[in-house]
Short mmCIF file of all heavy atoms in Angstrom, two decimals:
data_model
loop_
_atom_site.label_atom_id
_atom_site.label_comp_id
_atom_site.label_asym_id
_atom_site.label_seq_id
_atom_site.Cartn_x
_atom_site.Cartn_y
_atom_site.Cartn_z
N MET U 241 250.42 105.58 -17.08
CA MET U 241 249.73 104.27 -17.14
C MET U 241 249.81 103.61 -15.77
O MET U 241 250.72 103.90 -14.98
CB MET U 241 250.40 103.40 -18.20
CG MET U 241 249.71 102.08 -18.43
SD MET U 241 250.33 101.23 -19.89
CE MET U 241 249.37 101.96 -21.18
N VAL U 242 248.86 102.69 -15.53
CA VAL U 242 248.90 101.87 -14.31
C VAL U 242 248.99 100.42 -14.73
O VAL U 242 248.32 99.99 -15.68
CB VAL U 242 247.61 102.10 -13.48
CG1 VAL U 242 247.44 101.03 -12.41
CG2 VAL U 242 247.63 103.48 -12.83
N ILE U 243 249.85 99.65 -14.04
CA ILE U 243 249.93 98.20 -14.30
C ILE U 243 249.28 97.46 -13.13
O ILE U 243 249.60 97.74 -11.97
CB ILE U 243 251.39 97.72 -14.44
CG1 ILE U 243 252.10 98.47 -15.57
CG2 ILE U 243 251.45 96.22 -14.69
CD1 ILE U 243 253.57 98.08 -15.75
N VAL U 244 248.38 96.53 -13.46
CA VAL U 244 247.79 95.67 -12.42
C VAL U 244 248.03 94.21 -12.81
O VAL U 244 248.19 93.90 -14.00
CB VAL U 244 246.28 95.94 -12.22
CG1 VAL U 244 246.04 97.34 -11.67
CG2 VAL U 244 245.49 95.72 -13.50
N TYR U 245 248.02 93.35 -11.80
CA TYR U 245 248.38 91.95 -12.01
C TYR U 245 247.28 91.02 -11.52
O TYR U 245 246.79 91.17 -10.39
CB TYR U 245 249.64 91.60 -11.21
CG TYR U 245 250.85 92.45 -11.55
CD1 TYR U 245 251.03 93.69 -10.94
CD2 TYR U 245 251.80 92.00 -12.46
CE1 TYR U 245 252.13 94.47 -11.23
CE2 TYR U 245 252.90 92.78 -12.76
CZ TYR U 245 253.06 94.01 -12.15
OH TYR U 245 254.15 94.78 -12.45
N GLY U 246 246.93 90.02 -12.32
CA GLY U 246 246.11 88.91 -11.84
C GLY U 246 244.68 89.28 -11.54
O GLY U 246 244.03 90.01 -12.30
N ASP U 247 244.19 88.83 -10.39
CA ASP U 247 242.73 88.83 -10.18
C ASP U 247 242.31 89.07 -8.74
O ASP U 247 241.26 88.61 -8.30
CB ASP U 247 242.16 87.49 -10.65
CG ASP U 247 242.85 86.31 -9.96
OD1 ASP U 247 243.48 86.52 -8.91
OD2 ASP U 247 242.75 85.18 -10.47
N THR U 248 243.10 89.79 -7.99
CA THR U 248 242.74 89.96 -6.57
C THR U 248 241.89 91.23 -6.39
O THR U 248 241.71 92.02 -7.33
CB THR U 248 243.98 90.08 -5.68
OG1 THR U 248 244.58 91.35 -5.94
CG2 THR U 248 244.98 88.97 -5.94
N ASN U 249 241.43 91.45 -5.16
CA ASN U 249 240.69 92.68 -4.88
C ASN U 249 241.55 93.91 -5.14
O ASN U 249 241.05 94.95 -5.56
CB ASN U 249 240.22 92.66 -3.42
CG ASN U 249 239.14 91.61 -3.19
OD1 ASN U 249 238.51 91.14 -4.14
ND2 ASN U 249 238.93 91.23 -1.94
N THR U 250 242.84 93.80 -4.88
CA THR U 250 243.76 94.91 -5.18
C THR U 250 243.75 95.22 -6.68
O THR U 250 243.74 96.39 -7.08
CB THR U 250 245.19 94.51 -4.73
OG1 THR U 250 245.19 94.38 -3.30
CG2 THR U 250 246.23 95.52 -5.15
N THR U 251 243.71 94.18 -7.51
CA THR U 251 243.72 94.37 -8.97
C THR U 251 242.51 95.18 -9.42
O THR U 251 242.64 96.16 -10.17
CB THR U 251 243.67 92.99 -9.69
OG1 THR U 251 244.59 92.10 -9.08
CG2 THR U 251 243.94 93.12 -11.16
N VAL U 252 241.33 94.75 -8.99
CA VAL U 252 240.12 95.42 -9.48
C VAL U 252 240.01 96.84 -8.92
O VAL U 252 239.59 97.77 -9.62
CB VAL U 252 238.85 94.57 -9.19
CG1 VAL U 252 238.46 94.59 -7.73
CG2 VAL U 252 237.68 95.02 -10.06
N ALA U 253 240.43 97.02 -7.68
CA ALA U 253 240.35 98.36 -7.08
C ALA U 253 241.28 99.33 -7.80
O ALA U 253 240.90 100.46 -8.11
CB ALA U 253 240.73 98.28 -5.60
N GLY U 254 242.49 98.88 -8.10
CA GLY U 254 243.45 99.73 -8.81
C GLY U 254 242.95 100.09 -10.19
O GLY U 254 243.11 101.22 -10.67
#
Side-chain angles (χ1 to χ4, degrees):
M241 184 169 276
V242 166
I243 302 179
V244 295
Y245 302 84
D247 55 18
T248 71
N249 291 342
T250 295
T251 314
V252 73

